[in-house]
Amino acid sequence: VGDNMEDIMRLATSEAMLFKFGSGTGTDLSTIRSHRERLSGGGRPSGPLSFMRVYDQIAAVVKSGGKTRRAAKMQSLKVWHPDILEFIECKWKEEQKAHTLIASGKYEANFNGEAYSSILFQNANLSVRVTDEFMQTAEKGGKWATRMVTGSEQGQEYEAKWLLDRMAECAWQCGDPGVQYDTTI
């Protein structure tokens, strides 16, 4: 998807129509600027996670093929993106809300119940696109630097092993994110 409002909303329309006729979609959102970057007018972009909310709600309301089954949707973000940690943790954090609602005793403990339908990011499978370089850095034990989508400015640094462990921990807790190998498969 292009890093402009027209392309971002065009994707929403395309996905809705594909879901309507029973197909699934997969989108890499790494081209969308981080919420940490600047817009040319001086403001800050919304970042990919804010648009993931929009796409998630479209998938929730447009049943696949007009049936009751949910849309098949995958979203990925490359491991160098400045918003990678938020992406890794977003579904896990939302599921913590569902657990709290269920623990209150007012909501059923099932995935089709109101607790899960009231939280975000439940209509997509999320995957982090990792590179050989990232995996080698994690294996050796070193820092992994993210980089801004526009320009050459470096973003946040993480211990690569910690970031990989965070992916595994969140996946263990809620099934996401998965891992896609962006270079060697």
Side-chain angles (χ1 to χ4, degrees):
V1 63
D3 185 35
N4 60 70
M5 194 57 70
E6 293 80 12
D7 281 359
I8 289 167
M9 290 300 120
R10 195 173 298 118
L11 175 61
T13 301
S14 295
E15 284 191 342
M17 297 312 293
L18 287 163
F19 297 151
K20 175 183 175 185
F21 294 109
S23 292
T25 65
T27 309
D28 181 66
L29 302 172
S30 302
T31 52
I32 299 176
R33 276 174 286 186
S34 167
H35 72 278
R36 293 174 171 85
E37 296 183 56
R38 293 223 175 260
L39 295 171
S40 58
R44 294 228 180 247
S46 300
L49 269 71
S50 64
F51 293 112
M52 283 171 55
R53 292 180 175 140
V54 173
Y55 302 144
D56 182 65
Q57 290 306 301
I58 290 168
V61 299
V62 181
K63 300 299 182 205
S64 187
K67 309 275 191 261
T68 56
R69 73 181 175 92
R70 54 186 249 187
K73 179 170 183 50
M74 176 182 272
Q75 293 175 315
S76 64
L77 198 68
K78 292 181 178 169
V79 74
W80 55 258
H81 196 283
D83 295 349
I84 195 61
L85 183 58
E86 290 91 337
F87 181 83
I88 290 167
E89 294 179 337
C90 71
K91 202 163 186 176
W92 169 75
K93 284 182 177 180
E94 287 296 311
E95 288 212 11
Q96 297 307 304
K97 295 176 188 177
H99 291 259
T100 301
L101 292 171
I102 291 165
S104 75
K106 296 178 182 179
Y107 298 92
E108 290 183 37
N110 65 56
F111 290 107
N112 296 321
E114 196 175 355
Y116 276 92
S117 65
S118 68
I119 61 172
L120 297 171
F121 310 126
Q122 298 304 299
N123 297 292
N125 294 313
L126 307 181
S127 290
V128 176
R129 296 188 64 151
V130 297
T131 60
D132 286 347
E133 182 185 4
F134 171 78
M135 295 300 284
Q136 290 160 357
T137 304
E139 187 175 47
K140 286 186 254 177
K143 297 257 186 213
W144 179 255
T146 61
R147 64 178 186 272
M148 299 302 168
V149 175
T150 57
S152 58
E153 187 181 342
Q154 182 178 310
Q156 180 112 12
E157 272 191 347
Y158 301 97
E159 287 293 330
K161 184 180 181 331
W162 178 85
L163 201 58
L164 188 59
D165 286 347
R166 195 70 195 119
M167 288 178 224
E169 176 69 21
C170 288
W172 181 79
Q173 292 285 334
C174 69
D176 281 274
V179 175
Q180 285 182 354
Y181 298 99
D182 198 32
T183 40
T184 303
I185 297 174

